[in-house]
Structure formats: C-alpha cells, structure tokens
Amino acid sequence: MTPTTAELEIRLQTLHEPAPDAVLFDVLIGSGIADAFVRATSPAGELYIAASAHGVTCVRSAGDDENFRRAYRARFGRDVYSTSRLQFHLRSLAGGLIKEPSRGMVFDLRSCSEFERDVLLKALEIPAGEVRPYGWIAREIGNPNAVRAVGTALGHNPIPVLIPCHRVVRSDGLIGQYSLGGPARKRAMLQSEGLDPDVLENVARRGIRFVGSDTTGIYCFPTCRNAKRITPSHRVEMRSAADASARGYRPCLVCRPAGVA
Amino acid sequence: MSVIQQRLAEDLESSFVEVVRAYQDAVFSIVLGIVGNREDAEEVTQDALVRAFKALRGYERQRIFELRLRPWLVQIAVNLARNRLRRRRPTVVSLDDVVHEPVSTQFEPHDHAERREEKGELAKMLAELPVGYRVAVVLRHVEGLTYEEISEVLHKPVGTVKVHVHRGLIALQRLVESDEREVLVR
C-alpha cells in the first residue's frame, strides 16, 4: 500500500540521528579550542598523553582525570578532553614510540622557549639503549656553558618518555634526577631499554667517561652503539677527551663525544 | 539574536562548544541524509563545524549578532556534503552504513530489528533521489527547517524550494510503492 506523503513525512523524521560522540571532541581539537588526552601504558607506568591539533603537548603520570584537566588548563591555557577516537590513534603511536620516539611523532612545543625546544629536540636524537651527559646537549646546541640550564629544561620537559629526557645523565656519569617519578623511575626506564644502570654508574665511578677501540683508533660514549661492538680485548677505557686525543684517538662521528669533559 | 550568539560574540573560544552541542545532531542528520553513509557523514560534520568556528573567528561582533545561526551552519554543511558526493563514485548505500546503532536484543528484538530495517530502507531510497530533491526533503522533513530557512540555505526562492520538497516527496513515494510491489511479486 502506497504511503501518503503525510505518512512519509513522519517516517522521514525518524532519520534524525544523534551525532557520534567523537564529533564534539574532534571539532574542539580540530578548531584548536581544546586538546585531547588518552591513557596509555608504558615502562614508566600508566600515562596521560595529551595532544593538540599541532601534535603531542604533554605526558604525565596518570591519576585523577579532573586534577589532570585542571593542571593542564593552568599550564597550557586550554581545556583537555578524553577522546576515544584519539585513544586508538595515540595508543598505537605511543606503543611504537616509546621504543622509537622520534619516528613519525609530531610534538607541539609552542609552550616552550626556543632554548628549551633546542634541548628537547636534541634529546630526541638519543637512541633507545644509549645515554648522553647534559654537557653533550649543551655543546651540541651551541651553548657549551649552559649545562645547568639544559638540566632545568629537561626537568621541565612537558613530554617525558616520548621525548626521552631519561636518556640524559649527569656529566659525571651518574644517572641523576627524573621529573616523572624520580631516579628510581629513570633507572627502570633505562633498564627497559636494555641498559644496566648499575654497570653504567660503576664505570662512571671508576672515572671512565669514554671507551675506544685500539684497532680503529676511535673513541665513544660507553653506551654508543659503536662502543658496544668493541671486543673486550681491544677495548680501551679513557678518563677524558684530552686523554683520548693524547693517545691518538679521534671522536666517533655517531655519538660525537668530543669536547665533553 | 539568541543568547548563544551574544556569548559567541563575547567569547568565541569558550562558547563555541555550546554551538556544537546544540547543532551537531542536526548537522550530522542532514549530512547523513545527503551523503548516505556514517563514516563520510561524521567527517563532513566535523569539517563543517570546524570551518564554522574558523569563519566566526574572522567575523566582527555585529556580523555574529546578525547571523541566523541554524541556516548558516546548515548551509556550510550542505555545501560540504554536496562536494563530498561530487568527489565520490556513484553512491552505493549499504544497510549497515546507514544504521549502525548497537542492537539491543533484550528489548523487543523483533520490533527493533523491524524498525531498523525500515529506517535503513527509507534512507536507501532517499539516496536514490536526485540530489537537489534529496537536499530539500532532508532539510524540510528530517530536520524540520522552515521554507524560509531552506531558501536561505540553498539561495533559491521559497516557491522553488516548495516545489523541490514536493517533487522529492512524490518521487520517494513512487520508490516506496515500487519497492512494496516488488515484495508482493516475490
């Protein structure tokens, strides 16, 4: 039986549908009004990872959502919402990224100073399973005397874990502080990346800063991937760059240890 | 001028969320009626609202006060939805695409399934209408815009809009009729 147009009109009204939940958040994020966050698991424990339309803004230890929102507003001046869709996206990102943070991840560092940005982007270059001293970052960004400032900038790293400030250690080789849960957490993070913090510190305590190979005549930071390939019988330990060059060694081009005391 | 517009003019960033809350269902339903599948509809809805925000950011106070918010938003959405159709190959509307709400089996499963089916069928037939008629029918009868509002959205005289809505309905009626005849023949 053919429906009358009046009947059709009523049936058409049933096609009105609520918009999916994700729309609101996506619009807020897409227009830059608000940011989004997800919870993710990492070697550093449960984390909040927040992102704006420009990239990841912030990583914090997960706790109370409301507190996080309040702190986020205070720090970034924007609201932040939990979003299921981004959850999927960021979770998969975070999974791969905790291993290889620099790969494909976009960071929103607009809240940082230029100096802080230089420091953080430099820290990104340190591969998993390796560490560099604060002084190395200072020198690499063209500010060799700003070692303390580098430490401060890393201490304020808004995106720990993904920007691996845990891979930066004291210039005397000790592991040092960590903003995301203290030194113990930093050790655990390094351990999860295949480093033994105790071995690292023992080497440092003996005054060893670099290791070289007497076959190549090149010296490295002890955790440089090239240093790890030196066989024990050809491994030479060094106390300083001056010591190394006096013995005729040149700095490795990968970890660039030169100039760091 | 509405309260919401007053607030928009004062503080766009913090009040735009109210606009989204107030209009997202209307925009989504309209877009869904035009493009025929949820995935595209969600994307176009999001795009339309983000564009609306960006446009408002460039408007002066007075212009925001004078806006007729609903037809203005709907116009952005309709234009984007039609662009989306143009970019796509001929539409194939699958039932799953049209209605994919979680199906509760606890309450009146039969009734629910039937309604779901009916709704899907109607959406499918709607998608078969010429796009001009489809837009007019969706705006008038799915979302209940007035003829004046539709005329504003489509930049067409009210008389033309009425004709399009009417012809759309008649065409839809024929589609339903032939569909039911098919069922009888089977």
Side-chain angles (χ1 to χ4, degrees), chain B residues 19-64:
Chain B
V19 174
V20 178
R21 287 213 169 95
Y23 293 103
Q24 61 176 350
D25 294 350
V27 169
F28 179 71
S29 301
I30 288 168
V31 173
L32 181 59
I34 298 171
V35 302
N37 76 81
R38 291 183 67 92
E39 206 173 289
D40 283 348
E42 193 176 327
E43 256 181 58
V44 171
T45 301
Q46 185 194 332
D47 191 15
L49 291 168
V50 170
R51 278 172 195 239
F53 173 79
K54 288 181 176 159
L56 287 171
R57 208 167 39 188
Y59 285 6
E60 284 173 18
R61 265 176 93 83
Q62 198 53 35
R63 182 144 181 218
I64 296 181

Side-chain angles (χ1 to χ4, degrees), chain A residues 24-26 28-29 33-38 49-51 65-66 68-69 72-73 78-84 86-87, chain B residues 13-14 17-18 21:
Chain A
L24 176 66
F25 295 131
D26 287 345
L28 293 178
I29 294 156
I33 297 173
D35 296 350
F37 74 93
V38 299
I49 303 176
D65 283 10
E66 248 337 289
F68 174 65
R69 271 197 203 105
Y72 193 91
R73 244 190 318 264
R78 288 187 302 274
D79 279 323
V80 65
Y81 295 94
S82 148
T83 149
S84 52
L86 203 75
Q87 187 139 2
Chain B
E13 293 253 330
S14 63
V17 61
E18 291 172 49
R21 287 213 169 95

